[in-house]
Amino acid sequence: MARIDTFLNGKFLPVHEANVNIEDRGILFGDGVYEVIQVYHGRLFQANEHLNRLWRSAAEIELPLPYDRGEMLQLMVELVRVSNVYDGGLYLEITRGVAVRVHQFPENCKPTFFMIARDAKPLEDSVYTQGVQVTLLPDERWKRCDIKTLNLLPNVLAKEKAVRLGFFDAFFFSERGITEATSSSVLVVFNGELVTAPQGYWILPGITRDTVIDLARQLNIPVRRDFISKDEIFKATEVMLTNTRVNIVPVVSIDGVTINNGQPGEIYKQLAHAFKALLEAT
Ligand code: PDD
Protein backbone atom coordinates (compact mmCIF):
# COMPACT_ATOMS: atom_id res chain seq x y z
CA MET A 1 0.00 0.00 0.00
CA ALA A 2 1.26 3.47 -0.88
CA ARG A 3 2.60 5.47 2.00
CA ILE A 4 0.32 8.16 3.38
CA ASP A 5 2.52 11.24 3.39
CA THR A 6 0.14 14.03 2.39
CA PHE A 7 -2.80 15.93 3.81
CA LEU A 8 -5.00 17.82 1.32
CA ASN A 9 -8.23 19.64 2.10
CA GLY A 10 -9.31 17.40 4.93
CA LYS A 11 -7.87 14.03 3.84
CA PHE A 12 -4.70 12.06 4.61
CA LEU A 13 -3.54 10.32 1.42
CA PRO A 14 -0.50 9.25 -0.64
CA VAL A 15 1.10 12.13 -2.53
CA HIS A 16 0.26 10.76 -5.99
CA GLU A 17 -3.44 10.84 -5.07
CA ALA A 18 -3.26 14.46 -3.92
CA ASN A 19 -4.34 16.56 -6.87
CA VAL A 20 -5.13 20.22 -6.99
CA ASN A 21 -7.29 22.08 -9.48
CA ILE A 22 -5.31 23.94 -12.17
CA GLU A 23 -7.36 27.05 -11.44
CA ASP A 24 -5.92 27.20 -7.94
CA ARG A 25 -4.65 30.71 -7.24
CA GLY A 26 -1.45 29.20 -5.87
CA ILE A 27 -0.72 28.00 -9.41
CA LEU A 28 -2.14 31.01 -11.26
CA PHE A 29 -0.70 33.80 -9.11
CA GLY A 30 1.49 32.31 -6.39
CA ASP A 31 -1.30 33.64 -4.16
CA GLY A 32 -0.48 31.81 -0.96
CA VAL A 33 1.94 31.24 1.88
CA TYR A 34 3.99 28.29 3.09
CA GLU A 35 6.18 26.91 5.85
CA VAL A 36 8.89 24.28 6.07
CA ILE A 37 9.28 22.59 9.44
CA GLN A 38 12.04 20.19 10.39
CA VAL A 39 11.15 16.70 11.56
CA TYR A 40 13.90 15.52 13.84
CA HIS A 41 13.75 11.95 15.14
CA GLY A 42 10.02 11.81 14.49
CA ARG A 43 9.23 15.13 16.18
CA LEU A 44 8.41 18.53 14.74
CA PHE A 45 11.10 21.02 15.71
CA GLN A 46 9.85 24.47 16.77
CA ALA A 47 6.37 23.91 15.37
CA ASN A 48 4.92 26.78 17.41
CA GLU A 49 7.39 29.29 16.02
CA HIS A 50 6.52 28.16 12.49
CA LEU A 51 2.82 28.47 13.24
CA ASN A 52 3.38 32.01 14.57
CA ARG A 53 5.09 32.94 11.31
CA LEU A 54 2.42 31.22 9.21
CA TRP A 55 -0.31 33.17 11.00
CA ARG A 56 1.57 36.40 10.42
CA SER A 57 2.22 35.64 6.72
CA ALA A 58 -1.46 34.77 6.17
CA ALA A 59 -2.62 37.94 7.93
CA GLU A 60 -0.28 40.08 5.82
CA ILE A 61 -1.89 38.82 2.60
CA GLU A 62 -5.41 38.70 4.11
CA LEU A 63 -5.66 34.95 3.67
CA PRO A 64 -8.17 33.24 5.95
CA LEU A 65 -6.82 30.09 7.58
CA PRO A 66 -8.94 26.93 7.41
CA TYR A 67 -8.09 25.72 10.94
CA ASP A 68 -7.29 27.19 14.31
CA ARG A 69 -3.78 26.77 15.69
CA GLY A 70 -4.59 23.77 17.86
CA GLU A 71 -6.25 21.93 14.99
CA MET A 72 -3.42 22.78 12.61
CA LEU A 73 -0.81 21.50 15.05
CA GLN A 74 -2.79 18.30 15.59
CA LEU A 75 -2.96 17.67 11.83
CA MET A 76 0.77 18.28 11.47
CA VAL A 77 1.61 15.86 14.28
CA GLU A 78 -0.80 13.30 12.83
CA LEU A 79 0.79 13.52 9.38
CA VAL A 80 4.25 12.98 10.81
CA ARG A 81 2.89 9.99 12.69
CA VAL A 82 1.08 8.30 9.78
CA SER A 83 3.88 9.03 7.29
CA ASN A 84 6.50 7.55 9.61
CA VAL A 85 8.93 10.29 8.70
CA TYR A 86 11.78 10.16 11.20
CA ASP A 87 14.26 12.75 9.90
CA GLY A 88 13.08 15.14 7.22
CA GLY A 89 10.61 17.91 6.85
CA LEU A 90 7.01 18.92 6.68
CA TYR A 91 6.05 21.29 3.86
CA LEU A 92 2.81 23.18 4.45
CA GLU A 93 1.03 25.43 1.97
CA ILE A 94 -2.14 27.48 1.98
CA THR A 95 -3.44 29.22 -1.13
CA ARG A 96 -6.42 31.50 -1.60
CA GLY A 97 -8.17 28.62 -3.36
CA VAL A 98 -9.77 27.81 -6.70
CA ALA A 99 -11.51 30.47 -8.81
CA VAL A 100 -11.76 31.73 -12.38
CA ARG A 101 -8.67 33.85 -13.01
CA VAL A 102 -9.23 37.44 -11.91
CA HIS A 103 -6.57 39.38 -10.07
CA GLN A 104 -8.65 40.72 -7.17
CA PHE A 105 -9.69 38.37 -4.38
CA PRO A 106 -12.65 36.27 -5.62
CA GLU A 107 -15.75 36.10 -3.47
CA ASN A 108 -16.42 32.95 -1.46
CA CYS A 109 -13.09 31.38 -2.30
CA LYS A 110 -12.19 28.48 -0.02
CA PRO A 111 -8.47 28.23 0.81
CA THR A 112 -6.56 25.18 -0.40
CA PHE A 113 -4.50 23.65 2.40
CA PHE A 114 -1.98 20.87 2.01
CA MET A 115 1.02 19.38 3.77
CA ILE A 116 3.62 16.88 2.59
CA ALA A 117 5.88 14.98 4.99
CA ARG A 118 9.17 13.78 3.52
CA ASP A 119 12.28 12.02 4.67
CA ALA A 120 15.39 13.97 3.85
CA LYS A 121 18.97 12.81 3.89
CA PRO A 122 21.17 15.10 5.98
CA LEU A 123 23.79 17.04 4.03
CA GLU A 124 27.19 15.42 3.68
CA ASP A 125 29.28 15.73 6.86
CA SER A 126 31.87 17.66 4.88
CA VAL A 127 29.42 20.57 4.54
CA TYR A 128 29.64 21.05 8.30
CA THR A 129 33.26 20.06 8.85
CA GLN A 130 34.79 21.83 5.86
CA GLY A 131 32.27 24.58 5.13
CA VAL A 132 30.80 25.77 1.83
CA GLN A 133 31.48 28.37 -0.82
CA VAL A 134 28.95 31.03 -1.81
CA THR A 135 28.62 33.80 -4.34
CA LEU A 136 27.06 37.27 -4.07
CA LEU A 137 24.13 38.13 -6.35
CA PRO A 138 21.83 41.16 -6.50
CA ASP A 139 18.63 40.91 -4.49
CA GLU A 140 15.97 41.19 -7.17
CA ARG A 141 13.01 40.21 -5.00
CA TRP A 142 9.93 42.25 -4.13
CA LYS A 143 9.77 44.59 -1.16
CA ARG A 144 7.97 42.32 1.33
CA CYS A 145 10.45 39.49 1.81
CA ASP A 146 9.28 39.23 5.43
CA ILE A 147 6.19 37.34 4.22
CA LYS A 148 6.75 33.67 3.41
CA THR A 149 4.82 33.67 0.14
CA LEU A 150 4.92 31.18 -2.72
CA ASN A 151 6.59 33.72 -5.01
CA LEU A 152 10.11 32.32 -5.05
CA LEU A 153 11.19 32.82 -8.66
CA PRO A 154 14.07 35.24 -7.87
CA ASN A 155 15.26 32.81 -5.18
CA VAL A 156 15.01 29.86 -7.59
CA LEU A 157 16.91 31.68 -10.34
CA ALA A 158 19.66 32.84 -7.98
CA LYS A 159 20.11 29.38 -6.48
CA GLU A 160 20.26 27.82 -9.93
CA LYS A 161 22.85 30.35 -11.06
CA ALA A 162 24.95 29.78 -7.93
CA VAL A 163 24.82 26.00 -8.26
CA ARG A 164 25.69 26.14 -11.98
CA LEU A 165 28.74 28.18 -11.08
CA GLY A 166 29.76 25.52 -8.55
CA PHE A 167 28.67 27.35 -5.38
CA PHE A 168 26.58 25.98 -2.55
CA ASP A 169 24.33 29.05 -2.54
CA ALA A 170 24.08 32.77 -3.25
CA PHE A 171 23.89 35.62 -0.73
CA PHE A 172 21.66 38.46 -1.89
CA PHE A 173 22.85 42.06 -1.64
CA SER A 174 20.81 45.22 -2.05
CA GLU A 175 21.68 48.89 -1.60
CA ARG A 176 21.41 48.22 2.16
CA GLY A 177 23.99 45.44 2.16
CA ILE A 178 23.74 41.67 2.48
CA THR A 179 20.13 40.70 3.12
CA GLU A 180 19.99 36.89 3.25
CA ALA A 181 20.63 33.81 1.12
CA THR A 182 18.23 32.22 -1.41
CA SER A 183 16.59 30.07 1.28
CA SER A 184 18.44 30.85 4.47
CA SER A 185 19.50 33.63 6.82
CA VAL A 186 23.06 34.97 6.95
CA LEU A 187 25.09 35.59 10.11
CA VAL A 188 28.61 36.98 10.19
CA VAL A 189 31.26 37.36 12.90
CA PHE A 190 33.37 40.49 13.24
CA ASN A 191 35.77 40.70 16.19
CA GLY A 192 33.88 38.09 18.19
CA GLU A 193 30.51 39.76 17.60
CA LEU A 194 27.70 38.02 15.70
CA VAL A 195 26.15 40.40 13.17
CA THR A 196 22.98 39.81 11.15
CA ALA A 197 20.60 41.99 9.15
CA PRO A 198 17.91 43.86 11.11
CA GLN A 199 14.39 42.50 10.87
CA GLY A 200 12.25 44.40 8.39
CA TYR A 201 10.52 44.06 5.05
CA TRP A 202 13.71 42.98 3.23
CA ILE A 203 14.32 39.61 4.92
CA LEU A 204 12.34 36.64 6.18
CA PRO A 205 12.30 36.39 9.99
CA GLY A 206 14.29 33.15 10.06
CA ILE A 207 13.31 30.86 12.91
CA THR A 208 16.68 29.11 12.90
CA ARG A 209 18.39 32.51 12.98
CA ASP A 210 16.33 33.55 16.03
CA THR A 211 17.30 30.32 17.76
CA VAL A 212 20.97 30.85 16.93
CA ILE A 213 20.76 34.41 18.29
CA ASP A 214 19.25 33.09 21.55
CA LEU A 215 22.00 30.46 21.79
CA ALA A 216 24.66 33.11 21.14
CA ARG A 217 23.28 35.21 24.01
CA GLN A 218 23.35 32.16 26.30
CA LEU A 219 26.98 31.61 25.29
CA ASN A 220 27.82 35.27 26.00
CA ILE A 221 28.53 35.95 22.34
CA PRO A 222 27.50 39.56 21.63
CA VAL A 223 24.89 40.00 18.88
CA ARG A 224 24.33 43.08 16.72
CA ARG A 225 21.58 43.58 14.14
CA ASP A 226 23.10 45.55 11.36
CA PHE A 227 23.55 45.35 7.62
CA ILE A 228 26.94 44.20 6.40
CA SER A 229 28.00 45.80 3.17
CA LYS A 230 28.99 43.79 0.16
CA ASP A 231 32.63 44.85 0.70
CA GLU A 232 32.72 44.41 4.47
CA ILE A 233 31.64 40.79 4.38
CA PHE A 234 35.02 39.77 2.94
CA LYS A 235 36.66 41.03 6.15
CA ALA A 236 34.49 38.84 8.38
CA THR A 237 36.25 36.32 10.60
CA GLU A 238 33.36 33.89 10.22
CA VAL A 239 30.29 33.60 8.02
CA MET A 240 27.39 31.16 8.35
CA LEU A 241 23.94 30.50 6.99
CA THR A 242 20.94 29.03 8.79
CA ASN A 243 17.61 27.46 7.92
CA THR A 244 15.17 24.82 9.02
CA ARG A 245 16.59 22.19 6.69
CA VAL A 246 20.33 22.55 7.24
CA ASN A 247 20.46 24.19 10.71
CA ILE A 248 23.81 26.05 10.69
CA VAL A 249 26.31 25.78 7.83
CA PRO A 250 29.74 27.45 7.92
CA VAL A 251 30.74 29.47 4.86
CA VAL A 252 34.47 29.46 4.17
CA SER A 253 34.70 31.33 0.89
CA ILE A 254 32.77 34.10 -0.87
CA ASP A 255 33.30 34.57 -4.59
CA GLY A 256 36.62 32.80 -4.25
CA VAL A 257 37.84 34.93 -1.31
CA THR A 258 38.75 32.76 1.66
CA ILE A 259 37.17 33.42 5.07
CA ASN A 260 38.94 32.34 8.27
CA ASN A 261 41.71 30.55 6.34
CA GLY A 262 39.04 28.38 4.75
CA GLN A 263 38.07 26.70 8.04
CA PRO A 264 34.80 26.70 10.01
CA GLY A 265 35.38 29.07 12.94
CA GLU A 266 35.20 28.68 16.70
CA ILE A 267 31.96 30.62 17.13
CA TYR A 268 30.32 28.47 14.47
CA LYS A 269 31.47 25.37 16.33
CA GLN A 270 30.08 26.59 19.64
CA LEU A 271 26.75 27.52 18.08
CA ALA A 272 26.45 24.30 16.09
CA HIS A 273 27.19 22.28 19.22
CA ALA A 274 24.54 24.15 21.22
CA PHE A 275 22.06 23.84 18.36
CA LYS A 276 22.53 20.07 18.20
CA ALA A 277 21.95 19.84 21.94
CA LEU A 278 18.71 21.80 21.55
CA LEU A 279 17.52 19.56 18.71
CA GLU A 280 18.18 16.47 20.78
CA ALA A 281 16.43 17.92 23.81
CA THR A 282 13.26 18.80 21.89
N1 PDD B 1 13.44 28.65 3.59
N2 PDD B 1 15.33 33.29 4.25
C1 PDD B 1 14.65 32.76 3.23
C2 PDD B 1 14.49 33.54 1.98
C3 PDD B 1 14.10 31.48 3.35
O1 PDD B 1 13.40 30.96 2.33
C4 PDD B 1 14.30 30.74 4.55
C5 PDD B 1 13.73 29.36 4.75
C6 PDD B 1 15.04 31.35 5.59
C7 PDD B 1 15.31 30.66 6.89
O2 PDD B 1 14.17 30.51 7.66
P1 PDD B 1 14.01 29.33 8.71
O3 PDD B 1 15.20 29.38 9.59
O4 PDD B 1 12.77 29.69 9.44
O5 PDD B 1 13.92 28.06 7.92
C8 PDD B 1 15.53 32.63 5.40
C9 PDD B 1 12.87 27.34 3.62
C10 PDD B 1 13.72 26.34 4.31
C11 PDD B 1 12.50 26.93 2.19
O6 PDD B 1 12.04 27.79 1.47
O7 PDD B 1 12.66 25.77 1.82
Side-chain angles (χ1 to χ4, degrees):
M1 226 185 72
R3 180 187 203 181
I4 296 191
D5 53 6
T6 304
F7 179 84
L8 171 66
N9 292 337
K11 290 199 188 93
F12 291 95
L13 67 186
V15 70
H16 67 265
E17 289 176 25
N19 299 313
V20 290
N21 189 306
I22 56 171
E23 284 194 305
D24 194 288
R25 289 176 65 92
I27 298 173
L28 297 178
F29 296 111
D31 185 1
V33 294
Y34 78 104
E35 275 298 327
V36 183
I37 303 150
Q38 181 172 183
V39 178
Y40 184 77
H41 291 7
R43 288 191 303 270
L44 288 157
F45 183 58
Q46 300 187 316
N48 277 316
E49 287 79 355
H50 286 276
L51 285 176
N52 287 343
R53 189 169 63 188
L54 178 69
W55 250 254
R56 179 179 179 275
S57 295
E60 289 294 331
I61 69 160
E62 298 180 39
L63 180 64
L65 289 165
Y67 299 101
D68 69 27
R69 280 183 64 119
E71 290 165 338
M72 186 89 82
L73 186 60
Q74 247 179 5
L75 291 169
M76 289 156 61
V77 169
E78 183 60 7
L79 183 60
V80 173
R81 193 187 68 77
V82 295
S83 65
N84 260 321
V85 168
Y86 189 64
D87 284 322
L90 186 98
Y91 176 83
L92 183 163
E93 177 171 321
I94 305 171
T95 80
R96 207 173 300 279
V98 178
V100 171
R101 188 179 182 276
V102 290
H103 282 63
Q104 73 271 26
F105 300 170
E107 271 173 37
N108 306 320
C109 204
K110 198 168 148 272
T112 300
F113 171 61
F114 69 84
M115 301 186 286
I116 308 172
R118 280 283 156 85
D119 295 304
K121 268 206 222 123
L123 297 179
E124 299 280 314
D125 268 357
S126 62
V127 165
Y128 299 100
T129 55
Q130 292 169 27
V132 298
Q133 312 198 345
V134 303
T135 183
L136 302 184
L137 289 176
D139 195 338
E140 293 172 344
R141 299 174 300 163
W142 75 325
K143 294 184 177 128
R144 289 302 307 274
C145 298
D146 56 313
I147 312 172
K148 205 161 172 57
T149 78
L150 305 179
N151 299 277
L152 293 176
L153 191 55
N155 309 56
V156 166
L157 295 178
K159 177 78 177 194
E160 176 63 20
K161 187 165 184 181
V163 169
R164 274 194 203 171
L165 292 169
F167 295 102
F168 178 82
D169 201 358
F171 285 2
F172 287 132
F173 62 88
S174 69
E175 63 287 357
R176 290 187 177 79
I178 305 293
T179 49
E180 57 186 339
T182 64
S183 64
S184 38
S185 314
V186 174
L187 299 106
V188 168
V189 178
F190 285 109
N191 304 320
E193 191 178 39
L194 194 64
V195 188
T196 185
Q199 199 47 66
Y201 283 180
W202 31 85
I203 59 164
L204 186 80
I207 288 164
T208 321
R209 181 179 86 143
D210 281 349
T211 306
V212 168
I213 289 172
D214 284 347
L215 293 173
R217 294 209 166 109
Q218 287 165 33
L219 292 163
N220 292 321
I221 298 164
V223 178
R224 180 159 55 94
R225 288 177 189 263
D226 216 348
F227 280 107
I228 303 131
S229 80
K230 183 167 157 267
D231 301 322
E232 260 178 321
I233 195 162
F234 293 102
K235 296 182 209 134
T237 41
E238 295 186 38
V239 177
M240 51 199 104
L241 57 83
T242 62
N243 80 18
T244 298
R245 292 174 190 271
V246 300
N247 300 326
I248 322 178
V249 169
V251 173
V252 295
S253 148
I254 303 174
D255 279 331
V257 177
T258 299
I259 308 289
N260 193 43
N261 297 321
Q263 297 296 319
E266 285 313 310
I267 291 189
Y268 160 74
K269 286 183 193 157
Q270 282 183 54
L271 291 171
H273 187 260
F275 199 95
K276 184 90 200 304
L278 186 69
L279 264 176
E280 310 247 299
T282 304

